[in-house]
C-alpha cells in the first residue's frame, strides 16, 4: 500500500504560479507511474499530468505549455509546477500512484487527500 501526501495548494491571481508536491511512502516499489488529477466544482475528475519511473510525461491538452510534472526519486516526491494559471484551473488537485502498462493504460490505485487550488483576482 502506498500513502500519498499533497501540499502546496492555495489562492493565486490569474497569471500566477503555484507548485504542488506529493510525497509517497509505503510500498513505493509497487508503482511505476504517478500523476495529478483535478476535480473542478460540478465536474468530473480529470487527468492533468503523469510521469513514469523512467521520466516519460503526459499532459492534458488544457495544461500543455503551462504545467510541468517532475519527480525526485531520492525523495519519492512528485511535483506539479503550474504557471500562467487561469480561473478555469480552479479545482481540488489529487496526487495518484499506480502502474502503467505496455498498452499505455493506467491503473491508479493510491490517492492523496487532495489540495485546493483557487485562481481568482
Amino acid at each position: 500500500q502506498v500513502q500519498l501526501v499533497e501540499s502546496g495548494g492555495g489562492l493565486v491571481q490569474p497569471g500566477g504560479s503555484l507548485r504542488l508536491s506529493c510525497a509517497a511512502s509505503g510500498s513505493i516499489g509497487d508503482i511505476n507511474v504517478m500523476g495529478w488529477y483535478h476535480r473542478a466544482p460540478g465536474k468530473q475528475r480529470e487527468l492533468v499530468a503523469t510521469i513514469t519511473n523512467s521520466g516519460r510525461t503526459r499532459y492534458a491538452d488544457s495544461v500543455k505549455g503551462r504545467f510541468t510534472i517532475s519527480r525526485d526519486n531520492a525523495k519519492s516526491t512528485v511535483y506539479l509546477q503550474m504557471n500562467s494559471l487561469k480561473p478555469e484551473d480552479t479545482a481540488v488537485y489529487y496526487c495518484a500512484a499506480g502502474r502503467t502498462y505496455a498498452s499505455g493504460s493506467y491503473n491508479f490505485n493510491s490517492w492523496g487527500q487532495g489540495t485546493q487550488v483557487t485562481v481568482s483576482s
Side-chain angles (χ1 to χ4, degrees), residues 34-37 47-51 58-60 63 67 69 80 108:
M34 295 184 69
W36 291 94
Y37 282 73
L47 180 65
V48 176
T50 62
I51 185 166
R58 290 175 60 178
Y59 296 92
V63 306
F67 291 11
I69 189 170
L80 185 68
F108 288 107

Side-chain angles (χ1 to χ4, degrees), residues 9-29:
L11 173 64
V12 64
Q13 292 186 341
S17 298
L18 281 175
R19 189 176 82 154
L20 305 182
S21 300
C22 173
S25 61
S27 302
I28 57 177

Side-chain angles (χ1 to χ4, degrees), residues 3-7 19-25 28 31 34-36 51-53 69-80 95-96:
Q3 293 78 43
L4 303 172
V5 178
E6 302 115 331
S7 61
R19 189 176 82 154
L20 305 182
S21 300
C22 173
S25 61
I28 57 177
I31 63 174
M34 295 184 69
W36 291 94
I51 185 166
T52 66
N53 284 0
I69 189 170
S70 61
R71 64 190 298 156
D72 183 335
N73 290 331
K75 296 181 179 179
S76 299
T77 299
V78 171
Y79 305 97
L80 185 68
C95 179

Side-chain angles (χ1 to χ4, degrees), residues 58-116:
R58 290 175 60 178
Y59 296 92
D61 288 342
S62 60
V63 306
K64 284 180 180 177
R66 299 189 299 122
F67 291 11
T68 302
I69 189 170
S70 61
R71 64 190 298 156
D72 183 335
N73 290 331
K75 296 181 179 179
S76 299
T77 299
V78 171
Y79 305 97
L80 185 68
Q81 178 67 43
M82 305 185 293
N83 298 329
S84 302
L85 281 161
K86 305 175 181 180
E88 51 263 44
D89 295 319
T90 295
V92 178
Y93 283 72
Y94 298 91
C95 179
R99 297 198 64 81
T100 184
Y101 303 95
S103 63
S105 63
Y106 300 103
N107 179 25
F108 288 107
N109 53 16
S110 297
W111 296 86
Q113 79 285 358
T115 185
Q116 177 70 46

